[in-house]
Amino acid sequence: MLRILLGANLLVAAAALLLAPRLEDWPQRLVELATWCEPLLLSTLGLLALGRDWLWRLRPRAGQALVLLLVMAQALLFFDFWRFMGLIEGGWGAALRAALLAAAATLPLLLYFSLRARAFSPAVAEARLQALTARIRPHFLFNSLNAVLSLIRQDPRRAETALEELADLFRALMRDARNLSPLSDEIALCRQYLGLEKLRLGERLKVEWDIVDVPDDALVPPLMLQPLLENAVYHGIEPGEGSGTIHIGFSRQGDAMVAELTNPCPPGQGHHAGNRMALANIRERLDLYYDLEARLESSEQNGTYRVRITLPLRRPLP
């Protein structure tokens, strides 16, 4: 709906620019056109939202034709109403012209959504998700094995236990990345990973968990937090002197869930290439799973690096 509103209003702005005799008259012309177009646009969006489930059952071409007919019928009804109220003048020729203009504005939007649907078809999206997840796993394996190798001479028994934990982790990582996973599984995987890192860093690594009003069965993308935790350890804890604390929090805000991760950022240790890659990876996977419903924000302030992920709260179907 946001894309439709933006696209339609951009077309109105372009039409106002063409119709304005002078550039300084453009804002006034835009307001005049918007006065006529916005009621038609909003009412059409309301009808499409009401008939969404029924429209999804139609073939794409039939659905697009029906949307065009609906827009034209709405334009005719609004034109007739405005003429009845004495706001405009004109016969059926003018009404037909208004309907054709409404269809001409709708057609590019339908074409855009058709092209977008092909670009984000299930097969393409699944392939991209698998590729993005595969980029994380080798890096994760390399760093986890290094953590275990550092223990082999010092504490062979603990190293053996760590390898068993690593095997459990990779069993979880072999799950299908196309499906959302329960939050409890994501938290368990992160705890196991942090446990492996604690073998190397000992008391230097401190972790705080804060989960408020978020159900354990809430569905999240797999490997949503682990790459961020990995960067927090390698860019925030390891280069610093003394101990550092990684804080992971989950909270609920209406129909959305917020995950926030903070870690120290030592002076002179910026979150550069590795961190940008992890953020770009997760941001792209959020786009594939949620489109515009999710967002990822990061900031650095007063020696603390913060990543905040907001996504819709989804739970398994009963």
Side-chain angles (χ1 to χ4, degrees), residues 13 147 150 165 260 266:
S150 64
E165 294 174 354
E260 191 170 273

Side-chain angles (χ1 to χ4, degrees), residues 121-147:
S121 65
V124 174
E126 288 173 8
R128 289 176 65 187
L129 282 172
Q130 297 286 8
L132 288 167
T133 307
R135 291 181 194 173
I136 293 175
R137 288 173 180 167
H139 194 214
F140 175 62
L141 173 62
F142 175 78
N143 291 325
S144 299
L145 284 176
N146 275 344

